Amino acid sequence: MKLTTVTQVTVDGVMQGNGGTSDEDRRNGFERGGWARGAGDDETRSFITQTYQRAEAFLFGRRTYELFTSWDRTHPIGAALDDAPKYVASTTLTSPRWKDTTVLRGDLAAAVRELKAKPGGELQVHGSGILTRWLLEKDLVDEMILIVIPVIVGQGARLFPETGPDLALHLVESRVDSKGVTIQVYRPAGRPRYATA
């Protein structure tokens, strides 16, 4: 399976609390949740729904998994999530509340490689910033989709912190909708080459 990460971010790189009220994720005093609600036009909403629907399976960090268990199962995204196998990277989750859930413990890199070796479509990671960064560092990501909402939130957890490993990306696709939301699809391309003086 191809491992694809899908992340909604603000222009300043925040990914925390995108879909709900500020009660969704208030870690570290975050008070500006819901910044992605109402963003994007019908074409973007359709792209997001179709992305979920083409997933063969989903991989989550624990926090995102627990947030996603509240999806309405009658919504097309909720139905796609409910129908597919779900894998959770967690050392503390013992009783998953969602059917078809497997908790991955131990050697996570080996477990993800084993999932990727299975035939089929896509293994998708939605949100799960810490997991996404770790997967990129371990060279396990095949494609990265960034959905950039035209807003600066000014606080909150960012997809990429101030320091970390560097990575070159190859742009596969880019589009902008009528509301200014951009969708950028990248493939990791190894270490970047910096100009030398």
Side-chain angles (χ1 to χ4, degrees), residues 38-57:
D41 60 16
D42 289 343
E43 188 176 311
T44 293
R45 285 189 288 280
S46 178
F47 172 86
I48 292 168
T49 299
Q50 290 169 7
T51 299
Y52 278 91
Q53 290 174 326
R54 74 176 187 236
E56 187 85 18

Side-chain angles (χ1 to χ4, degrees), residues 13 19 39 41 46 60 69 77 84 87 93 106 110 122 128 135 137 147 156 170 178 180 185:
D41 60 16
S46 178
F60 297 105
T69 60
I77 291 175
Y87 299 91
L93 182 64
E122 282 183 84
S128 304
L135 291 165
E137 289 173 18
I147 302 168
H170 171 72
S178 63
V185 181

